[in-house]
Amino acid sequence: MRKSRMLFSALAATGLALAAAVFGSAVFTAPPASALANGLALTPPMGFNNWNSTKCNADFNEAMVKGIADIFVSSGLEAAGYQYVNLDDCWGETKRDAKGNLVPSHVRFPHGIKAVADYVHSKGLKLGIYTSAGTHTCNKAGFPGGLGHEQQDANTFASWGVDYLKYDNCNNQNVDAVQRYTKMRDALKKTGRPIVYSICEWGKNKPWNWAPNVGNLWRTTGDISDNWARMLSIIHANQSHASVAGPGHWNDPDMLEVGNGHMSDTEYRTHFSLWAEMAAPLLIGTDLRKANAATFKILSNTDVIAIDQDSLGKQGTVVSSSGGLVVYTKQLANGDRAVALFNETGATATISTTAAKAGLGSAVSYTLKDLWSKATRTTSGAISASVPSHGTVLYRVSAN
Ligand code: GLA
């Protein structure tokens, strides 16, 4: 602490410009010394969560959860890497039992949560659940939250075979966020069961500064919704925290809306491409029992998934941004770069960069693979494409 304060005053004395020149932005946004060491989420979590498609409607129930698990297996999504089947708000009864334990909704989950967890596990998948770091969850029906019940609820989840917890922020009684989220981290650890820990405080308490030591992922923004303007604003917010992402600790720009019907397939391909470019969790948010072929095609693009799941765990960064034409680059474990050319504007435009600007070393030529069209070509360094309005061209670029 004292050391960093001394360093900070030294920098202030020398002037910020000099500091930036010497240390770059690393001084102000250095990744934490030790990330949450639970060994989980070494690549961004992939799976499903019901919230974006069902909210608390009646179709969020045991049949849905089992149906999604079945489709993960039969459609090849499990083979493509999707693993977690996650329940969001409204899975429970509004009252704890006589011993203070959480109780699954008798209507939605008549056989309990352990039974669905067993089913999901029998398919080789994992089960996630939700509660809030407050007295109650967000839904106005008033479901009990984990504040003051951290160990008891963590034990309940572990006893049900839960593998992932999303911990929300509603009804938090203004108790300090770091304190609330750390308490559940420690409670989960004490269960002895590996449970991915997803912090959902909507970016309210600058989680990029502390959450890497507390959770495996943390929401950077308020809720996504299935429309272009909201998705775009989330991209803008999430991209600025790239430096703190890494294996076991990820920025979370919220769950996918792909397939929910209020964006075009071009926009959904942008959504999926940029979530992969930003090493974001890929949690499918549409009811796959009703999804069309175009939705499956987007969600099953294994070349794009490989960018998201790359073992180096770097979040892509902005190379250039001008007039709504944005270039990102993401460093990959084998030395390649994933270069995204993103057109935010209302008209088709040519977006250009170079292999050098994208961070590739000098080479005689480079191979560009378009991860949506699958076309490959070589270039001596120029990377350029005509990109439709709201579209993204995503290249995997290798030096030859
Ligand atoms: C908050 C979260 C959402 C969802 C709802 C459930 O809004 O940010 O992702 O979990 O609560 O009520």
Side-chain angles (χ1 to χ4, degrees):
M1 265 285 116
R2 190 182 301 157
K3 232 185 195 170
S4 63
R5 223 179 295 136
M6 274 166 57
L7 174 64
F8 205 82
S9 15
L11 292 179
T14 346
L16 284 178
L18 179 60
V22 175
F23 295 103
S25 59
V27 165
F28 304 105
T29 55
S34 65
L36 174 65
N38 65 3
L40 302 172
L42 298 180
T43 62
M46 291 177 66
F48 167 86
N49 174 298
N50 65 284
W51 182 254
N52 287 350
S53 63
T54 67
K55 303 289 191 271
C56 291
N57 299 338
D59 51 346
F60 169 45
N61 58 19
E62 177 181 300
M64 177 186 211
V65 176
K66 290 169 123 180
I68 298 295
D70 292 344
I71 293 171
F72 266 15
V73 177
S74 63
S75 67
L77 287 170
E78 181 183 29
Y82 294 91
Q83 199 181 15
Y84 292 94
V85 182
N86 294 352
L87 321 186
D88 211 282
D89 202 357
C90 301
W91 58 264
E93 290 288 330
T94 54
K95 295 270 174 293
R96 293 175 180 268
D97 72 11
K99 292 182 176 147
N101 292 314
L102 295 169
V103 181
S105 160
H106 297 302
V107 175
R108 297 180 197 270
F109 295 98
H111 303 98
I113 301 297
K114 181 159 191 324
V116 281
D118 288 348
Y119 185 86
V120 164
H121 291 153
S122 77
K123 304 277 165 177
L125 299 165
K126 295 188 185 311
L127 188 92
I129 206 160
Y130 160 101
T131 188
S132 181
T135 53
H136 294 88
T137 73
C138 297
N139 186 269
K140 58 180 184 317
F143 301 105
L147 189 65
H149 293 264
E150 290 84 357
Q151 195 62 58
Q152 182 172 19
D153 292 352
N155 292 347
T156 299
F157 298 146
S159 76
W160 289 343
V162 163
D163 307 293
Y164 183 115
L165 174 66
K166 172 177 171 182
Y167 204 35
D168 210 339
N169 195 34
C170 285
N171 302 300
N172 61 49
Q173 311 302 311
N174 293 320
V175 179
D176 175 70
V178 180
Q179 187 186 317
R180 285 181 293 119
Y181 286 94
T182 304
K183 202 147 186 214
M184 182 55 89
R185 173 197 68 184
D186 295 342
L188 291 173
K189 185 171 180 204
K190 224 167 154 196
T191 68
R193 186 176 174 85
I195 299 176
V196 170
Y197 186 30
S198 160
I199 293 174
C200 178
E201 58 75 89
W202 322 310
K204 287 270 184 217
N205 305 276
K206 298 191 166 58
W208 39 88
N209 289 335
W210 52 268
N213 297 312
V214 180
N216 295 112
L217 58 155
W218 51 89
R219 284 268 300 277
T220 53
T221 69
D223 291 6
I224 196 169
S225 53
D226 187 17
N227 71 76
W228 172 254
R230 181 63 189 144
M231 182 180 75
L232 185 61
S233 77
I234 287 183
I235 292 166
H236 289 162
N238 193 70
Q239 69 192 20
S240 56
H241 308 301
S243 67
V244 298
H249 50 104
W250 310 101
N251 290 304
D252 176 6
D254 208 355
M255 303 171 293
L256 298 170
E257 292 284 4
V258 176
N260 284 335
H262 293 97
M263 287 192 261
S264 68
D265 286 341
T266 298
E267 291 168 339
Y268 285 140
R269 278 190 293 273
T270 284
H271 186 4
F272 201 65
S273 299
L274 295 185
W275 260 236
E277 187 75 8
M278 295 191 294
L282 299 178
L283 293 172
I284 296 170
T286 198
D287 187 346
L288 292 170
R289 297 172 302 172
K290 302 175 194 156
N292 64 23
T295 295
F296 277 101
K297 201 167 172 205
I298 293 169
L299 296 172
S300 311
N301 188 327
T302 49
D303 287 321
V304 178
I305 290 170
I307 302 306
D308 182 76
Q309 294 291 301
D310 184 79
S311 62
L312 194 61
K314 293 276 189 194
Q315 178 172 332
T317 54
V318 176
V319 173
S320 60
S321 175
S322 165
L325 307 179
V326 191
V327 177
Y328 299 84
T329 187
K330 181 183 199 282
Q331 198 182 345
L332 302 174
N334 73 346
D336 292 355
R337 295 277 175 154
V339 177
L341 309 177
F342 171 36
N343 182 358
E344 298 179 353
T345 77
T348 298
T350 297
I351 305 180
S352 305
T353 187
T354 66
K357 284 183 188 156
L360 284 128
S362 83
V364 195
S365 67
Y366 302 86
T367 299
L368 305 184
K369 180 173 181 188
D370 181 322
L371 302 185
W372 290 104
S373 78
K374 310 300 180 187
T376 57
R377 62 189 164 88
T378 57
T379 160
S380 59
I383 300 173
S384 186
S386 169
V387 186
S389 165
H390 294 187
T392 298
V393 169
L394 183 59
Y395 289 124
R396 186 171 184 126
V397 185
S398 330
N400 298 316

